[in-house]
Amino acid sequence: MEGELRAGIAGTGFIGSVHARSARLAGARVVAVAASSLQSAERAAAQLGADRALASAEELVTDPDIDVVHVCTPNHLHQPLAEAALAAGKHVVCEKPLALDAAGAAALVGLAGDSGLQAAVPFVYRYYPTAREARERIGAGDAGAVRLLHGTYLQDWLLRPEDDNWRVDAELGGASRAFADIGSHWCDLAQFISGHSITRVSARVVTAVPERVRASGRRAFAGSEPTHGEVRPVTTEDAAVVLFETDAGALGSVIVSQVSAGRKNRLWIEIDGSKEALAFDQENPEELWWGRRESATILRRDPESLSPAAARYATLPPGHPQGYADCFDAFIAEVYDTIRTGSAPEGLPVFADGLRAARITEAVMTSARDQAWVDVVGAPEPEEVAA
Ligand SMILES: NC(=O)c1ccc[n+]([C@@H]2O[C@H](COP(=O)([O-])OP(=O)(O)OC[C@H]3O[C@@H](n4cnc5c(N)ncnc54)[C@H](O)[C@@H]3O)[C@@H](O)[C@H]2O)c1
């Protein structure tokens, strides 16, 4: 496709604003935005430099002047908006979770495949150069056979009963909250770095704050102010503890929480191979911990010492920190290049990755309910693993 790409953004909260910035940096024009009302879309259009504010997301996804639709709304709208956008011939960048359940995500994968359009999901932690470096070392066999994957994804923005957001409400966010929202990112990154697929899970979940004061219009991560709204029971989980197995014979565990005081966005993954271990920490992403029996080393994000596959995402000199926004920029730039050239780079997260995450989420919630190990639908058969 030639000429300037025209992007439309549905949902202009925390992540919609990030999408708009990255879209512009990648050479697109943000031609329209839609939010929960025309008034909030007008405010957002002014802030984000969009040409037009539209009255609804439904109008945006079929607008003839838009080439690529970014779905950044609350979760319950992802599937219908992405479906309508694909049906209207638009490329789609749809936020996770792709749909409220795995069946919905599978339907979207089918539609996207039939359409020939590009359909991507922002699992953007893949774009940290240090995460890529860990992947390269494991892929090249330097770490040896992967035996254990472990870590956490901890946040604290829903710690208190006064903390609220549309995510808490199962009708808007889905039956799983913490795991679908951030556990999905952890699993995607753990699988991406290790090359393994999660095949079985045994999970427990907890709703640590059983009642919250309703303020569901509050923007994500906005903090809490005193509210005097209705107190409502919470049905979605605040935290999950998950054991898992992979197709290549590794074991793993992850703790996911939105109620861990003092932790803001602590996605931390450690992978133990038979020769060395690697640890990535999203809150300290300029460094990769590299453990061997003789010594442990901190590998810094320095293009001179990174492998080419990681160095291509190091856009600033060492010592000039890169972060989350840079990952988003790199992801959107790859999506737009793919739209322009028709050829996707290896590692671009697409709807099939969103489906994989949705299936793991469903297995986690089923396991927690039935108190049993549950297979992940569609995961590869476990390999014969040498002793
Ligand atoms: N990939 C990532 O790293 C990442 C990070 C944060 C959020 N997300 C995802 O992005 C989505 C949005 O999350 P957020 O944190 O930006 O939430 P948010 O609450 O900050 O923003 C939600 C936006 O949706 C708009 N909205 C609500 N109802 C709407 C409707 N009917 N039509 C159009 N717009 C509507 C609101 O006006 C608001 O602008 C979620 O699905 C979340 O999982 C992904």
Side-chain angles (χ1 to χ4, degrees):
M1 146 162 220
E2 287 179 14
E4 188 181 45
L5 269 179
R6 300 166 301 172
I9 305 212
T12 53
F14 160 46
I15 213 66
S17 309
V18 175
H19 280 246
R21 172 185 174 279
S22 296
R24 197 167 297 105
L25 279 172
R29 188 156 143 217
V30 180
V31 295
V33 294
S36 52
S37 67
L38 180 58
Q39 289 74 11
S40 63
E42 282 168 347
R43 274 196 306 275
Q47 276 164 8
L48 303 177
D51 298 348
R52 289 182 288 140
L54 299 181
S56 75
E58 290 71 20
E59 200 181 315
L60 183 141
V61 294
T62 53
D63 188 296
D65 291 332
I66 291 175
D67 305 308
V68 54
V69 168
H70 294 244
V71 179
C72 307
T73 60
N75 301 348
H76 68 300
L77 296 171
H78 291 182
Q79 186 186 348
L81 291 176
E83 276 177 3
L86 289 168
K90 318 289 184 197
H91 303 284
V92 180
V93 180
C94 182
E95 273 300 347
K96 37 53 60 172
L98 260 192
L100 292 188
D101 55 26
L108 277 179
V109 169
L111 273 179
D114 294 343
S115 72
L117 296 158
Q118 302 304 330
V121 182
F123 284 127
V124 292
Y125 298 117
R126 294 182 179 199
Y127 288 84
Y128 278 112
T130 44
R132 292 273 169 164
E133 186 65 20
R135 182 177 192 243
E136 283 302 297
R137 291 200 67 77
I138 290 168
D142 297 336
V146 171
R147 294 164 167 169
L148 295 171
L149 300 97
H150 45 108
T152 58
Y153 196 158
L154 308 177
Q155 300 180 334
D156 73 355
W157 66 288
L158 290 169
L159 178 67
R160 302 182 188 136
E162 313 81 63
D163 298 328
D164 197 25
N165 180 257
W166 55 263
R167 284 168 172 82
V168 171
D169 189 338
E171 279 185 21
L172 306 182
S176 167
R177 185 204 335 139
F179 195 85
D181 196 29
I182 55 177
S184 57
H185 270 298
W186 192 94
C187 292
D188 181 78
L189 191 61
Q191 295 178 117
F192 183 68
I193 292 176
S194 65
H196 288 216
S197 293
I198 294 173
T199 52
R200 296 179 76 215
V201 301
S202 173
R204 297 290 180 276
V205 297
V206 61
T207 301
V209 183
E211 291 183 329
R212 291 182 185 269
V213 183
R214 190 184 291 279
S216 45
R218 189 181 291 144
R219 194 174 155 142
F221 309 104
S224 60
E225 66 258 6
T227 40
H228 306 285
E230 167 206 355
V231 173
R232 41 96 176 244
V234 175
T235 58
T236 51
E237 84 283 2
D238 292 312
V241 177
V242 182
L243 285 178
F244 61 84
E245 294 175 1
T246 75
D247 59 335
L251 285 179
S253 71
V254 60
I255 299 181
V256 172
S257 161
Q258 294 175 322
V259 291
S260 292
R263 296 297 186 192
K264 300 302 170 187
N265 202 36
R266 192 171 192 263
L267 186 168
W268 171 77
I269 292 182
E270 189 159 323
I271 299 184
D272 298 340
S274 54
K275 296 184 195 160
E276 58 187 44
L278 295 153
F280 169 78
D281 175 3
Q282 199 282 147
E283 290 185 338
N284 187 18
E286 290 283 282
E287 298 182 343
L288 181 68
W289 182 86
W290 175 21
R292 283 153 297 163
R293 185 133 84 180
E294 303 73 28
S295 62
T297 306
I298 301 293
L299 193 76
R300 295 195 198 284
R301 183 195 56 77
D302 180 347
E304 268 190 28
S305 50
L306 294 176
S307 59
R312 67 187 264 254
Y313 296 102
T315 51
L316 294 171
H320 301 71
Q322 280 183 223
Y324 179 81
D326 299 284
C327 291
F328 233 99
D329 295 344
F331 162 72
I332 297 291
E334 280 196 355
V335 175
Y336 286 4
D337 278 350
T338 305
I339 292 172
R340 291 185 188 107
T341 63
S343 148
E346 197 276 325
L348 181 73
V350 294
F351 275 21
D353 299 298
L355 171 58
R356 191 141 78 126
R359 284 173 164 163
I360 294 171
T361 302
E362 216 151 84
V364 162
M365 299 311 283
T366 305
S367 168
R369 185 196 62 204
D370 297 350
Q371 307 245 316
W373 279 89
V374 171
D375 291 342
V376 176
V377 172
E381 287 297 312
E383 290 167 16
E384 284 293 320
V385 182

